[in-house]
């Protein structure tokens, strides 16, 4: 059979539609063919913006000799990890168990029943040809051993990882986690650990919340240092805004150049919250530029947000973004070009490849007007270069993260464009991805895919909708979030605690994945825990609060032992410990100053809703009238409220009093 990817919706799969390898999509047809032919399956998993996926494609999958070996001896299956995170999760667990590490491209060999018996990541062409020959020889001559090995690995996967006994995350545990993070903090460069260094978005959010609850200066200092180091480093696009996936060095100088929606959505939220906590002008600028990047470069024609921009352009990694001094001079003229080289740390020997440099901003320019003009001219020159491809599929969970970030940025930074974008994105996702009451994972060009939504799709989208409800006071977002969480409670809950990654009626894989670790984005369990805590605070539902506490306890042992891999779990635990703290503001235009004071509060357990008294569908506004015809704010702990206040000074005092109680 020829290559069958031409009808795929995934941009990653479409990148491989012209390969001589006879790829097909994941599905029963592939396994049926493997059983009929009596051959194993070659499973290749990657994503559109992945540099090493491109390298392996060019070296091997476009090669006729490799294709001949694959087509003769295997059924070849391509999977977009972003479209099928459930498939990716199962076989990545196998890969890390067998090799001690994981990554993409992921290369797995499966029995016709889907049981993995050999796994790896990137293989150079010669090594890959040897591997294909070796697997074929083992399958032909020692099949019983291969099948037995696959069965043992599948049994290991099905048993799941031991997450330890449930452990509640109380104040002492959260304080200990912050201290443990401090012990591994890179005080010189910011962040945690050495190279490669990833933006620790969720850990930073936890530390901001820990500082808000405890006043711990060390927690805020770690966030401020890391935030500034990343913002001034090469990992941040100094011309157009937005962050790359990670830095290959410990000092944030050279990034892996792909730009992912999930990173930028989470970092936007962190920088907005850092600005709220400190008033940092740098944090405010980076927040605005990152939000502008989302709106300008990732917004799809339908109004959703695309998944990523590629690491490569014109066949070279980072080609769009790196500069030499000569190129700066060509774009700006000699005097301004040399001045820009000094400002942006561009040197003759270069910080990247082939004598080029990434752009950094170690210090703010001494002439803001000059820099604004020079930056615009450099952007115009850069636009004439080869540009990275965009993966324009719209992923539910990542759009949920972006909705939350844009809604909060819109209200806190008083920027209506961001709030309008959050509304538009939420409308698109709900209208397109919600099919017969159930969430789908992704869409492209307004056409929804077949893959079912996973746990983090439900948690992150509900989180975004709850943030949008607070930003707008509109009841429809709260209602939609409630319905999504109801599906999660019914279909994803694990009786042992936490949530499975896939629903109880989802396609059965060799194992039902359940990952409690927060990695590049919140795990399904922590994502749902966060939304459940917020929903409980906004509605007073004890059922949602209890489910959130159970989910946090399920991940509690991991969070205590490895806080770097439980950032969102710890952040949600801070919200649960500090809340529920509710502020309801009633009134019209005269309520704006009260609302602004409430939203400026940093308590991690606080929710804020403003609107007319007794707005239908908004529990926080029920039975909360104006006071003598004036706007009023009601500060409540678990729906037990103080007397309403009508001045900003009185509201500020009330918030201080309730936080210290």
């Amino acid at each position: 059979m020829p290559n069958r990817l031409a009808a795929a919706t995934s941009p990653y799969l479409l990148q491989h539609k012209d390969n001589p390898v006879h790829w097909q999509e994941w599905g029963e047809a592939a396994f049926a063919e493997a059983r009929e032919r009596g051959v194993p399956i070659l499973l290749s998993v990657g994503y559109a913006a992945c540099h090493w996926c491109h390298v392996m494609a060019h070296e091997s999958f476009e090669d006729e000799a490799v294709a001949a070996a694959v087509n003769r001896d295997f059924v070849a299956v391509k999977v977009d990890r972003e479209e099928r995170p459930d498939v990716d999760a199962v076989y990545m667990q196998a890969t890390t168990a067998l090799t001690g590490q994981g990554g993409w491209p992921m290369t797995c060999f499966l029995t016709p029943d889907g049981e993995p018996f050999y796994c790896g990541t990137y293989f150079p062409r010669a090594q890959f040809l040897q591997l294909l020959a070796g697997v074929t020889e083992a399958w032909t001559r020692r099949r019983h051993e291969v099948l037995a090995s696959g069965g043992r690995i599948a049994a290991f996967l099905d048993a799941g990882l031991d997450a330890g006994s449930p452990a509640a995350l109380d104040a002492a545990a959260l304080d200990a986690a912050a201290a443990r993070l401090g012990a591994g903090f890179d005080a010189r460069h910011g962040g945690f650990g050495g190279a490669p260094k990833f933006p620790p978005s969720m850990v930073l959010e936890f530390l901001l919340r820990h500082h808000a609850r405890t006043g711990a200066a060390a927690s805020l200092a770690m966030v401020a240092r890391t935030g500034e180091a990343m913002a001034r480093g090469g990992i941040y696009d100094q011309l157009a805004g937005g962050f790359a996936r990670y830095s290959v060095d410990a000092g944030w100088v050279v990034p892996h150049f792909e730009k992912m929606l999930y990173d930028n959505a989470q970092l936007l939220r962190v920088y907005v919250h850092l600005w709220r906590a400190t008033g940092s002008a740098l944090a405010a600028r980076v927040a605005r530029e990152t939000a502008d990047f989302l709106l300008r470069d990732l917004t799809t024609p339908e109004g959703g947000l695309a998944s990523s921009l590629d690491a490569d352009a014109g066949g070279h990694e980072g080609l769009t973004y790196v500069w030499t001094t000569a190129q700066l001079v060509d774009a700006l003229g000699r005097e301004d070009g040399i001045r820009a080289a000094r400002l942006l740390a561009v040197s003759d020997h270069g910080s990247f490849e082939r004598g080029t440099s990434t752009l950094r901003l170690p210090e703010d320019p001494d002439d803001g007007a000059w820099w604004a003009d020079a930056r615009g001219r450099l952007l115009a020159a850069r636009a004439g270069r080869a540009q990275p491809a965009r993966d324009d599929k719209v992923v539910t969970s990542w759009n949920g993260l972006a909705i939350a970030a844009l809604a909060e940025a819109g209200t806190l930074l008083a920027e209506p464009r961001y709030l309008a974008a959050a509304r538009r994105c939420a409308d698109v996702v709900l209208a397109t991805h919600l099919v017969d009451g159930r969430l789908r994972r992704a869409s492209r060009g307004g056409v929804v895919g077949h893959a079912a939504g996973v746990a983090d799709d439900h948690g992150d989208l509900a989180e975004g909708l709850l943030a949008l409800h607070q930003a707008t006071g509109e009841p429809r977002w709260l209602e939609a979030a409630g319905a999504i969480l109801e599906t999660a409670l019914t279909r994803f809950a694990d009786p042992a605690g936490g949530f499975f990654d896939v629903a109880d009626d989802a396609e059965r894989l060799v194992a039902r994945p359940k990952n409690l670790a927060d990695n590049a984005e919140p795990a399904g369990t922590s994502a749902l825990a966060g939304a459940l805590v917020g929903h409980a605070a906004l509605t007073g539902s004890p059922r949602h609060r209890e489910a959130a506490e159970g989910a946090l306890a399920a991940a509690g042992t991991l969070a205590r032992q490895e806080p770097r891999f439980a950032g969102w779990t710890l952040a949600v635990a801070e919200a649960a410990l500090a809340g529920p703290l509710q502020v309801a503001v009633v009134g019209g235009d005269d309520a704006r100053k009260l609302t602004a004071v409430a939203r400026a509060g940093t308590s991690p357990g606080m929710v804020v809703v403003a609107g007319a008294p007794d707005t239908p569908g908004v529990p926080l506004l029920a039975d909360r009238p104006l006071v003598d015809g004036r706007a009023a704010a009601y500060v409540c702990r678990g729906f037990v409220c103080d007397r309403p206040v009508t001045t900003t000074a009185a509201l500020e005092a009330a918030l201080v009093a309730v936080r210290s109680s």
Side-chain angles (χ1 to χ4, degrees), residues 342-360:
R342 287 196 298 266
L343 177 68
L344 297 167
V346 175
S347 64
D348 290 338
H349 57 78
S351 58
F352 186 52
E353 299 172 351
R354 302 179 297 277
T356 62
S357 295
T358 61
L359 300 187
R360 290 175 283 151

Side-chain angles (χ1 to χ4, degrees), residues 517-611:
D518 300 315
N519 197 340
E521 53 189 298
T525 288
S526 63
L528 283 166
L532 289 163
V533 166
H535 189 276
L538 289 163
T539 63
S541 167
R543 175 171 171 248
H544 291 75
R545 176 76 182 196
E546 291 166 7
E549 291 171 349
L552 291 172
T557 297
L558 170 66
R560 289 166 181 259
Q561 295 174 347
E562 300 290 347
R564 282 181 59 187
F565 300 99
W568 195 243
T569 298
L570 293 165
V572 174
E574 285 286 357
L577 184 63
L581 171 60
Q582 300 112 339
V583 181
V585 181
V586 292
D589 289 343
D590 57 342
R592 289 181 180 175
K593 291 183 179 179
L594 291 172
T595 304
V597 167
R599 287 176 175 155
T602 58
S603 172
M606 184 166 63
V607 294
V608 179
V609 177

Side-chain angles (χ1 to χ4, degrees), residues 185-207:
F185 181 65
D186 182 348
R188 179 182 178 189
H189 299 298
F192 303 89
K197 190 173 279 185
F198 292 80
S201 310
M202 291 166 283
V203 167
L204 297 180
E205 184 65 34
F206 159 60
L207 291 171

